[in-house]
């Protein structure tokens, strides 16, 4: 009963373009090729980045020890805004003073998180953000791990820990917010081309 009361007291949250930032975690060359369905993760991260740019949603991109794991994959590196790259050695972006400072400096209450690996850097980053009182949304179809089981259990644990689990389309349509706009038309075209 106490758990039910807590759920009912927490209002549902929509993701808004003016209050959120997009954080792409460690989609790097050597790591990406080893995760399950890496093409899906890269494609959905790219879609999120493209729409974020159009709607002026702040974007940050982290790299875990790039000397060993290589740079961000080219498909995403070319979409990363100037100055958005953050290099880290901690698994959690919030465990690294430089990354944490960049995220805090954006002054956004919501963080949309995508990337790899779901059960390590994504999970630890998401919980670090929750501990900073951010509303955190992990994009289920834009994250992965080397093992499907690790990814599934990570999403279960994140959900239980107060992180909202969403899909790429949920994020995009909540950012856009309404039909009949130039942004909605562009989004509709992008999604049609993706499905073709």
């Amino acid at each position: 009963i106490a758990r039910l009361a807590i759920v009912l007291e927490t209002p549902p949250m929509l993701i808004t373009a003016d209050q959120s930032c997009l954080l792409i975690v460690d989609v790097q060359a050597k790591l990406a090729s080893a995760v399950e369905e890496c093409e899906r993760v890269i494609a959905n991260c790219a879609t999120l980045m493209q729409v974020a740019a159009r709607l002026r949603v702040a974007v940050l991109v982290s790299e875990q020890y790039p000397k060993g794991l290589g740079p961000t994959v080219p498909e995403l590196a070319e979409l990363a805004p100037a100055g958005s790259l953050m290099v880290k050695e901690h698994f959690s972006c919030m465990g690294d003073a430089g990354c944490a400072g960049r995220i805090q400096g954006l002054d956004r209450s919501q963080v949309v998180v995508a990337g790899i690996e779901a059960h390590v850097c994504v999970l630890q980053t998401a919980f670090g953000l929750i501990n900073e009182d951010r509303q955190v949304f992990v994009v289920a179809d834009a994250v992965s791990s080397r093992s499907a089981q690790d990814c599934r259990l990570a999403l279960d644990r994140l959900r239980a820990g107060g992180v909202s689990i969403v899909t790429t389309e949920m994020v995009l349509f909540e950012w856009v917010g309404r039909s009949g706009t130039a942004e909605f038309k562009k989004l509709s075209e992008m999604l049609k081309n993706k499905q073709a």
Side-chain angles (χ1 to χ4, degrees):
I1 295 173
R3 182 178 166 81
L4 180 61
I6 290 168
V7 170
L8 294 176
E9 285 171 14
T10 306
M13 299 168 284
L14 288 175
I15 310 164
T16 62
D18 62 341
Q19 282 302 310
S20 66
C21 70
L22 172 64
L23 176 57
I24 304 294
V25 177
D26 306 348
V27 187
Q28 294 161 253
K30 289 184 183 174
L31 191 53
S33 61
V35 303
E36 294 272 316
E37 299 185 74
C38 70
E39 296 86 1
R40 167 185 53 83
V41 172
I42 293 168
N44 285 331
C45 284
T47 299
L48 288 162
M49 292 172 79
Q50 289 165 340
V51 175
R54 187 166 178 87
L55 297 176
R56 296 186 181 89
V57 173
V59 176
L60 291 172
V61 178
S62 71
E63 289 183 349
Q64 176 74 26
Y65 187 62
K67 230 171 141 179
L69 295 175
T72 298
V73 295
E75 301 94 319
L76 303 185
E78 67 187 20
L79 296 172
S84 63
L85 186 65
M86 309 182 298
V87 174
K88 65 183 177 69
E89 290 189 8
H90 288 81
F91 296 129
S92 170
C93 288
M94 301 311 289
D96 180 278
C99 293
R102 294 281 302 281
I103 295 165
Q104 290 158 347
L106 293 174
D107 197 29
R108 300 288 178 109
S109 61
Q110 301 178 331
V111 185
V112 176
V113 184
I116 55 181
E117 285 188 84
H119 67 296
V120 186
C121 296
V122 170
L123 181 140
Q124 291 185 33
T125 294
F127 282 152
L129 289 162
I130 286 279
N131 290 338
E132 295 258 328
D133 293 325
R134 297 289 199 289
Q135 297 169 10
V136 184
F137 304 85
V138 168
V139 189
D141 57 357
V143 299
S144 188
S145 296
R146 285 163 293 152
S147 149
Q149 177 176 312
D150 279 334
C151 186
R152 187 181 69 253
L153 292 174
L155 293 174
D156 289 346
R157 187 174 168 201
L158 286 161
R159 186 181 292 109
V163 174
S164 295
I165 306 301
V166 295
T167 65
T168 298
E169 286 205 11
M170 282 185 203
V171 176
L172 302 181
F173 282 103
E174 287 175 39
W175 274 349
V176 170
R178 54 174 289 194
S179 64
T181 63
E183 288 79 12
F184 175 76
K185 287 175 187 167
K186 181 66 178 171
L187 174 58
S188 296
E189 285 169 25
M190 282 179 67
L191 295 177
K192 278 180 195 165
N193 292 337
K194 196 174 163 189
Q195 290 167 353

